[in-house]
Amino acid sequence: MGFGVNLNFSQFIPSIPFILEGVLVTLKIVALAALLGFALGIILALFKIGRIKVLTWLANVYTSVFRGTPLVLQLMIIYFGMPQIIGFEIDAFPAAVIAFGLNSAAYISEIIRAGILAVDKGQREAAMALGIPYKPMMRDIILPQALKNILPALMNEFITLTKESAVVTVIGAMDIMRRAYIVGGDKYAFFEPLLIAGLIYYILVMILTLLGKAVEGRMRKSD
Amino acid sequence: MIKVENLRKSFGKLEVLKGITTTIKQGEVVAIIGPSGSGKSTFLRCLNLLEEPTDGKVWIGDQEITNRKTNIMKVRQNVGMVFQHFHLFPHMTVLENLTYAPMKVKGMAKAEAEAKAMELLRKVGLAQKANEYPSRLSGGQKQRVAIARALAMSPEVMLFDEPTSALDPEMVKEVLEVMKSLAHTGMTMAIVTHEMGFAREVADRVLFLDGGLLVEDASPSEFFSAPKSKRAQEFLEKML
Ligand SMILES: Nc1ncnc2c1ncn2[C@@H]1O[C@H](COP(=O)(O)OP(=O)(O)OP(=O)(O)O)[C@@H](O)[C@H]1O
Ligand SMILES: [Mg+2]
């Protein structure tokens, strides 16, 4: 028999805990990158809708560059390229967080910008008429309403981030993907460990999706 | 007191206000009426600088708000505004709608702001709705909350831009009643309205705008019984 389905999952059972440890690594990278991307995304969105032309321009260029080049390239520039400039090595983990954070900031800023613009103009006018300054107006009145509207889009972005985080494999971070690959290399069989990794990603994404739905449902209740 | 001197406003090439001069005295209630597009809203919005006048001067009290050195935020705290579409903050309860600005902008203590808010809500007959979200209120209730929200800042002057135009007919009265009792407290009020009966009954003076000009400035009895200009006559014929 030259070929045929020849799968043997049982030999990988001892390796499953090793692969599962990657879940924590993946989640840590995604969570930190999401935080970074969210914070930076808000700032970029405010620049985009603000009146200061230079900042608007800067934010637009930023978005354009990060959306216009491959994520894996950005990751490799930060991990392999940056040490040349800053003079010291960066570990795979912080490099991944920075690359994904900066990248998702570009996408998130677009989502937030659209969300802010979708808030009724009257809200801003009512706030201005009460003499509420720009900062508290944005923080307490406009952004909470914008965030509520864009929650599904944000959730989508985090799910994308979770899946795309698998490219950290190329810089050697020990995430789900990398571990599956290592196990495959040990046993000279990649199909089963990669399937296991796929299943783990799928379950993560499903959990995130359900979580998003739950949060959305709770926010709906206030109106 | 509101003093307006040769107020002009253009949007690009379109000149919407073509030099308006008038004074609204302390405690006076002025109805601003006129055809659609005549510049009523723009005029009102220039009084709290939601629109920046192209030319001319505006004083609120003894402060010239069109002076570049004037702190716009401070001025706006002193000028309450009520909008056609309420613009309550939907993610805050009624009480929070009333206490947010006094606490955040004036630094009022929470207990004091809440006490004041409850007093205002009682005045507009909505104390029992303090902890509801705006989406649970009827249009008339929303507008009464919006009036209370503006009053919570203790303004010297109140501006109303068609406060009853978005309401179902049966809710108009409750809002007008609140405005009427506010007028009796001696509040200085400028009200853009299509409610001719209300203007006639409550206003001390009527300003008739047409094409960006102040065409008539008269007492309600004069204006409604014997309008001087042809435009005002035509307008009233259509309205009444
Ligand atoms: N922000 C703006 N940009 C451009 N044009 C505007 C703007 N706001 C108002 N206008 C124009 O100015 C004119 C006067 O508008 P305004 O809203 O003051 O009229 P109004 O008397 O309040 O009318 P209505 O009774 O319909 O509310 C209109 O032609 C309007 O299209
Ligand atoms: Mg108007």
Side-chain angles (χ1 to χ4, degrees):
Chain A
M1 291 282 280
F3 58 85
V5 181
N6 189 9
L7 295 182
N8 179 359
F9 277 94
S10 62
Q11 64 163 325
F12 289 97
I13 289 172
S15 306
I16 285 179
F18 174 73
I19 297 177
L20 276 176
E21 269 176 58
V23 171
L24 212 63
V25 177
T26 294
L27 284 181
K28 263 200 217 153
I29 291 174
V30 169
L32 290 174
L35 274 179
L36 176 62
F38 189 61
L40 190 56
I42 288 183
I43 294 169
L44 288 171
L46 291 175
F47 282 2
K48 284 177 191 177
I49 61 162
R51 281 201 199 148
I52 306 170
K53 287 275 177 321
V54 189
L55 296 180
T56 306
W57 179 83
L58 213 69
N60 284 334
V61 169
Y62 180 98
T63 304
S64 170
V65 168
F66 274 91
R67 294 206 302 186
T69 54
L71 174 58
V72 63
L73 173 97
Q74 295 161 19
L75 180 66
M76 289 174 86
I77 284 181
I78 286 170
Y79 184 67
F80 296 115
M82 283 305 276
Q84 231 172 299
I85 292 169
I86 56 178
F88 57 86
E89 304 267 313
I90 313 175
D91 283 341
F93 180 79
V97 169
I98 292 169
F100 293 143
L102 296 182
N103 180 274
S104 66
Y107 290 90
I108 290 175
S109 74
E110 275 303 292
I111 296 172
I112 294 176
R113 187 187 68 89
I116 291 174
L117 292 181
V119 173
D120 181 5
K121 208 164 103 278
Q123 291 292 308
R124 211 186 166 112
E125 296 201 332
M128 292 202 310
L130 286 164
I132 299 168
Y134 184 81
K135 240 168 125 180
M137 168 177 84
M138 275 298 165
R139 188 188 55 219
D140 299 333
I141 292 164
I142 307 298
L143 281 176
Q145 295 182 57
L147 291 181
K148 189 168 161 182
N149 295 337
I150 62 180
L151 205 67
L154 276 182
M155 218 50 213
N156 240 334
E157 175 58 24
F158 294 148
I159 286 170
T160 305
L161 193 57
T162 306
K163 288 183 292 181
E164 302 243 293
S165 74
V167 308
V168 296
T169 292
V170 302
I171 61 168
M174 291 291 276
D175 72 329
I176 301 168
M177 188 69 185
R178 181 89 197 157
R179 283 161 190 265
Y181 187 73
I182 289 172
V183 169
D186 275 352
K187 308 250 157 100
Y188 304 106
F190 289 96
F191 197 76
E192 298 94 332
L194 288 178
L195 265 191
I196 292 170
L199 183 67
I200 295 173
Y201 278 112
Y202 185 73
I203 291 171
L204 278 184
V205 167
M206 286 305 115
I207 291 174
L208 276 179
T209 307
L210 288 177
L211 225 67
K213 290 243 158 67
V215 175
E216 235 178 278
R218 273 188 56 174
M219 293 200 116
R220 284 274 142 69
K221 265 184 198 152
S222 87
D223 57 29
Chain B
M1 187 207 63
I2 306 171
K3 200 168 132 200
V4 181
E5 206 178 274
N6 195 28
L7 178 65
R8 288 172 183 275
K9 173 68 186 176
S10 300
F11 293 107
K13 285 211 175 76
L14 180 70
E15 191 173 37
V16 174
L17 298 178
K18 300 173 180 165
I20 290 184
T21 302
T22 190
T23 301
I24 300 173
K25 292 200 290 281
Q26 172 82 41
E28 203 173 18
V29 177
V30 170
I32 300 162
I33 62 182
S36 182
S38 56
K40 305 180 298 292
S41 296
T42 307
F43 173 71
L44 207 64
R45 292 159 60 84
C46 283
L47 302 184
N48 65 352
L49 300 184
L50 279 187
E51 301 292 356
E52 197 187 336
T54 312
D55 197 15
K57 291 180 177 173
V58 177
W59 285 264
I60 303 285
D62 50 15
Q63 214 177 14
E64 193 213 316
I65 65 172
T66 35
N67 187 322
R68 296 224 167 268
K69 283 185 212 127
T70 307
N71 181 341
I72 298 180
M73 290 300 162
K74 276 261 158 23
V75 171
R76 288 184 182 144
Q77 291 169 33
N78 218 359
V79 181
M81 188 168 214
V82 175
F83 301 86
Q84 182 176 356
H85 295 285
F86 334 124
H87 302 326
L88 293 178
F89 304 134
H91 59 304
M92 297 183 186
T93 64
V94 165
L95 190 67
E96 287 163 351
N97 264 277
L98 266 68
T99 56
Y100 177 78
M103 282 164 62
K104 187 60 72 175
V105 179
K106 288 192 157 175
M108 198 184 271
K110 189 169 186 210
E112 190 189 349
E114 287 187 346
K116 169 143 204 205
M118 287 311 298
E119 185 195 319
L120 284 167
L121 286 176
R122 270 193 291 280
K123 278 193 182 143
V124 301
L126 290 171
Q128 78 284 4
K129 300 286 186 190
N131 296 312
E132 297 279 9
Y133 282 92
S135 57
R136 304 282 303 272
L137 305 180
S138 72
Q141 291 171 333
K142 280 181 192 159
Q143 195 60 299
R144 285 187 278 153
V145 170
I147 293 171
R149 178 177 68 177
L151 290 173
M153 290 295 282
S154 311
E156 267 179 61
V157 168
M158 285 282 284
L159 310 175
F160 296 81
D161 192 355
E162 301 198 28
T164 58
S165 295
L167 299 178
D168 291 336
E170 71 271 20
M171 291 170 185
V172 170
K173 192 159 167 256
E174 65 191 55
V175 172
L176 293 181
E177 286 301 322
V178 166
M179 290 169 64
K180 206 192 291 181
S181 62
L182 183 60
H184 290 317
T185 67
M187 176 64 77
T188 309
M189 295 162 75
I191 307 165
V192 174
T193 185
H194 290 302
E195 295 289 334
M196 295 302 141
F198 177 77
R200 189 173 213 156
E201 185 190 351
V202 180
D204 300 308
R205 237 167 79 215
V206 174
L207 304 183
F208 177 73
L209 291 194
D210 186 41
L213 289 168
L214 180 53
V215 177
E216 294 208 28
D217 179 345
S219 73
S221 55
E222 273 177 89
F223 179 78
F224 287 107
S225 54
K228 290 193 201 75
S229 65
K230 187 137 191 309
R231 287 297 287 138
Q233 287 164 14
E234 285 167 4
F235 176 76
L236 284 176
E237 260 166 45
K238 260 186 248 156
M239 292 303 292
L240 301 173

